[in-house]
Amino acid sequence: MKFEDLKLVQKWREYAGPKDERLEAESAKIYKIGFVLLSFGMLMIFFYQFIARQVAWVHSDASEMPHGFATPFEAAMYLWLVLVMLICAGLQTRKGYVDTNRFGQTEHLPVG
């Protein structure tokens, strides 16, 4: 069964109405940039973390620094994630792609 054949998907498309192809194309470009940035940054952080742990294992550094909620690598990943989200939001705002709050003003969502 295809995704488009599901009754829930058909009902949603009836409710949501036609897509604006210009907005779909612009948002696809922005999300592509965000995905490339996020993937490349996370890959670099994972690679660096792997190398750093290997060096620490080779040198048997027993004086492990206490850390708070996350290791420095996890903190770097969280920071990178927030930075990429801000870049995507900035690009969307610059292109004029903003939420019209269409569903926030409805009386009820179709559940039947």
Side-chain angles (χ1 to χ4, degrees), residues 37-75:
L37 286 173
L38 188 63
S39 299
F40 181 74
M42 294 294 178
L43 184 64
M44 290 291 100
I45 290 170
F46 282 136
F47 182 68
Y48 181 74
Q49 182 180 15
F50 176 74
I51 291 173
R53 284 188 179 177
Q54 189 175 25
V55 169
W57 178 74
V58 168
H59 291 290
S60 297
D61 187 16
S63 61
E64 197 171 319
M65 287 180 49
H67 54 274
F69 74 99
T71 65
F73 302 109
E74 291 169 345

Side-chain angles (χ1 to χ4, degrees), residues 32-42 80 84 87-88 91:
K32 181 180 178 184
I33 292 169
F35 178 75
V36 168
L37 286 173
L38 188 63
S39 299
F40 181 74
M42 294 294 178
W80 184 252
V84 169
I87 288 171
C88 287
L91 288 172

